[in-house]
Amino acid sequence: GQNIDQPTEMTATEGAIVQINCTYQTSGFNGLFWYQQHAGEAPTFLSYNVLDGLEEKGRFSSFLSRSKGYSYLLLKELQMKDSASYLCAVDAPEEEYGNKLVFGAGTILRVKS
Amino acid sequence: DTGVSQDPRHKITKRGQNVTFRCDPISEHNRLYWYRQTLGQGPEFLTYFQNEAQLEKSRLLSDRFSAERPKGSFSTLEIQRTEQGDSAMYLCASTFKVGKSGANVLTFGAGSRLTVL
């Protein structure tokens, strides 16, 4: 079975730092992704982790611990435009050709001034 | 290349009607995915193609749903005898990938929103 859990909603203040957690249980693992999705729009790629550790990309960083089945997305210097849903997804190959992303329900982040 | 295109963006239909959505992926991408997303949920995998071959189909997909990618380029997703529970955003995504290892970064289209009355 496959299970991906993340908090439903979070609120943070403009300029602050926020950490969005994701835990997963999948039968296979070929990497973990974070996507950002603004209301009514397509998900857009933010980060990819396949090895343990921290990947930094500008104001966004993503961390992975494979042994714990845990990841987090760290957003620094929050801006109002960061208000969006943040989707955690695992690439979980099961079949011979299987390569599909399994998504969590998403965390709605509200940034307030 | 303008990215992944989906058409129509919005479709309102009556229960029992058939609908078809089209997806034009990024031209050099060999893999094409269909996902469904309802309000407050993440995208749910439906099916995917590598070139023209449909390699996997979700067990949740009823036989009212069919997808094709006849020439390995654009794809269509047809829903027959629509039900109110089919109301959702249907997302198409594409990527270029060979084999199972390596990053599988999907580029999503803006989606086709279906409302079944």
Side-chain angles (χ1 to χ4, degrees), chain A:
Chain A
Q2 298 167 342
N3 193 44
I4 299 174
D5 288 316
Q6 48 183 134
T8 304
E9 293 185 15
M10 299 182 72
T11 301
T13 304
E14 193 175 15
I17 299 173
V18 69
Q19 176 174 314
I20 302 174
N21 296 324
C22 171
T23 58
Y24 64 90
Q25 290 178 307
T26 59
S27 53
F29 182 82
N30 192 39
L32 186 141
F33 295 77
W34 284 95
Y35 277 78
Q36 180 191 61
Q37 186 176 28
H38 287 99
E41 298 182 11
T44 54
F45 170 74
L46 288 178
S47 69
Y48 170 69
N49 294 69
V50 66
L51 299 176
D52 291 350
L54 188 68
E55 294 280 343
E56 296 186 77
K57 190 187 294 185
R59 294 189 300 116
F60 292 5
S61 303
S62 56
F63 171 83
L64 175 67
S65 169
R66 289 171 296 171
S67 62
K68 295 181 179 178
Y70 168 70
S71 173
Y72 67 73
L73 179 70
L74 194 70
L75 293 77
K76 303 175 186 175
E77 301 168 14
L78 280 174
Q79 302 175 9
M80 299 299 290
K81 67 178 182 179
D82 297 329
S83 294
S85 179
Y86 290 85
L87 299 162
C88 174
V90 173
D91 187 347
E94 291 185 53
E95 309 293 332
E96 180 180 354
Y97 295 104
N99 265 127
K100 61 181 183 289
L101 297 193
V102 179
F103 284 85
T107 298
I108 296 173
L109 174 65
R110 294 189 173 87
V111 180
K112 59 181 182 180
S113 57

Side-chain angles (χ1 to χ4, degrees), chain B residues 1-3 35 38 45 63 65 67 71 78-79 82 84 99 113:
Chain B
D1 195 355
T2 56
Y35 281 81
T38 54
F45 170 78
D63 55 9
F65 287 71
K71 297 181 180 179
E78 182 182 18
I79 309 173
T82 53
Q84 288 184 325
R113 181 170 295 283

